Amino acid sequence: MSIEFDSTSLAATEEFLNRNYTTMRIGNDTSGPVRSTVVRERLGDVNLDRLDLGFDMSYDAEPLGRICLCEVETGWVEENYHDAGTDYFGSGEIAVLTPPDLPYSGVIHTARYRITMFDPADLTRVAEVEAGIPVELTGHRPVSVAAGRRLAATLAHLRQLVGDYNGQVPPLVAATATQFLAATVLDTFPNTASAELTATDRADAHPAALRRALAYMEGRVHDDIAVGDIAAAAYISVRALQLAFRRHLGTTPMAHLARLRLQGAHEQLTDGKGATVSAIATDWGFGHPGRFAALYRRHYGRSPAATLGDRPDPPDTAG
């Protein structure tokens, strides 16, 4: 369900922000009139917001409790960071707007910008860390220009998904996209997840553990599972799981899960039974038909439409 807000009232804008973000006080740092527009779309538990503020809005807010990514389209944003002072973001820049567990303040300087918010626990689900150890971002700017561009492309892909499904993204597609977002964020910003393999990790990356992991994945291929869930089922650490897959299969757990889902889609396409390519792709967690078709062709050497259309004629039952 989407949310739309359009107002020329500072009080109404503050009430909306309090209701949909967190408790905050805002002010108008200019002498001009207030104009604020907000549109929110949802991808599972991820909020994809576009804000257009026609005035300089100062804010002093309580913690969001969410990872908050900010992409500036026009204007500029001034954010006060507890550990890094004040930073400024202009057109074309992307950053973490605020740590999830700290109050925040700053000024939005007559800007049009996008905010993407998601649960910090999603970072831990996709990271190579032990269960119960939360992953935290340790910097608010991308580690490189290229990393920032990759994140921007990922966010554009998420917005396209919402549009492709008219706002009704199937749960497995939304869950897969959320994991992709979290993994991209970890690749984009400094964080606490990087660590070296231990001797125990190396010893645990044996075939028996791999078999337990594979059995778990094959039994839950339609479920929203992450690397931490697979490691727990195999009774090993996440890093040992990653090593086992690299050592014995030459891949990663999540890449193998995607391959299992692609195989399931292939079997359903081969069987047919009146389904469309788009419906089958969605059923197996592939949200973008074009990307699904390209992946399918790379693995099977033909398009999914060709497989679906190449069904044998029914047997002749005439006596």
Side-chain angles (χ1 to χ4, degrees):
M1 181 179 65
S2 63
I3 295 174
E4 296 186 11
F5 173 79
D6 193 352
S7 179
T8 56
S9 165
L10 187 67
T13 299
E14 182 176 86
E15 192 276 332
F16 173 84
L17 296 175
N18 275 262
R19 188 171 69 251
N20 290 280
Y21 293 89
T22 188
T23 302
M24 67 176 70
R25 296 288 295 176
I26 68 170
N28 183 357
D29 281 18
T30 63
S31 58
V34 169
R35 181 181 60 80
S36 53
T37 302
V38 183
V39 177
R40 167 172 292 176
E41 295 177 310
R42 290 191 174 94
L43 176 72
D45 292 329
V46 178
N47 290 343
L48 303 166
D49 299 359
R50 187 177 189 188
L51 300 92
D52 190 350
L53 301 183
F55 65 108
D56 286 6
M57 187 191 82
S58 58
Y59 54 91
D60 191 349
E62 295 299 310
L64 272 173
R66 309 267 280 172
I67 301 295
C68 182
L69 308 175
C70 179
E71 301 171 271
V72 182
E73 295 182 349
T74 63
W76 54 288
V77 174
E78 174 184 347
E79 176 75 1
N80 301 319
Y81 293 91
H82 289 262
D83 59 346
T86 301
D87 205 349
Y88 305 87
F89 310 102
S91 177
E93 292 189 285
I94 188 168
V96 179
L97 189 62
T98 174
D101 57 343
L102 294 176
Y104 63 107
S105 63
V107 182
I108 307 295
H109 293 271
T110 312
R112 185 170 66 244
Y113 60 107
R114 295 182 183 272
I115 283 179
T116 301
M117 297 189 299
F118 63 96
D119 191 335
D122 289 324
L123 297 178
T124 306
R125 289 196 72 205
V126 303
E128 297 184 21
V129 295
E130 298 306 309
I133 302 177
V135 173
E136 298 179 355
L137 301 180
T138 57
H140 59 271
R141 281 190 176 269
V143 296
S144 68
V145 173
R149 288 173 179 164
R150 287 193 295 270
L151 178 58
T154 297
L155 295 174
H157 170 61
L158 299 191
R159 292 190 290 267
Q160 182 179 346
L161 268 183
V162 174
D164 289 344
Y165 287 98
N166 294 317
Q168 303 297 318
V169 182
L172 184 58
V173 173
T176 302
T178 301
Q179 290 190 35
F180 181 45
L181 169 63
T184 306
V185 168
L186 288 177
D187 183 60
T188 303
F189 299 100
N191 61 81
T192 60
S194 58
E196 296 296 324
L197 283 164
T198 66
T200 301
D201 292 331
R202 297 181 188 280
D204 284 347
H206 49 69
L210 179 64
R211 287 194 293 271
R212 290 193 295 268
L214 292 174
Y216 176 84
M217 296 167 74
E218 289 165 2
R220 292 165 175 80
V221 69
H222 268 296
D223 296 343
D224 173 19
I225 59 175
V227 66
D229 305 313
I230 302 167
Y235 306 110
I236 59 176
S237 72
V238 173
R239 292 188 182 89
L241 178 77
Q242 299 278 9
L243 178 59
F245 270 81
R246 288 197 301 269
R247 177 183 291 172
H248 302 294
L249 296 179
T251 187
T252 67
M254 299 314 291
H256 184 75
L257 180 61
R259 184 70 181 85
L260 289 176
R261 289 172 174 164
L262 185 66
Q263 180 179 338
H266 171 68
E267 292 171 357
Q268 192 172 348
L269 286 164
T270 302
D271 184 59
K273 293 188 177 178
T276 65
V277 170
S278 179
I280 292 172
T282 297
D283 189 42
W284 288 95
F286 296 98
H288 191 284
R291 291 185 176 89
F292 169 69
L295 180 64
Y296 186 90
R297 185 184 292 276
R298 190 157 63 246
H299 281 272
Y300 293 103
R302 63 190 312 198
S303 71
T307 300
L308 184 63
D310 190 20
R311 297 193 300 272
D313 293 331
D316 187 359
T317 58

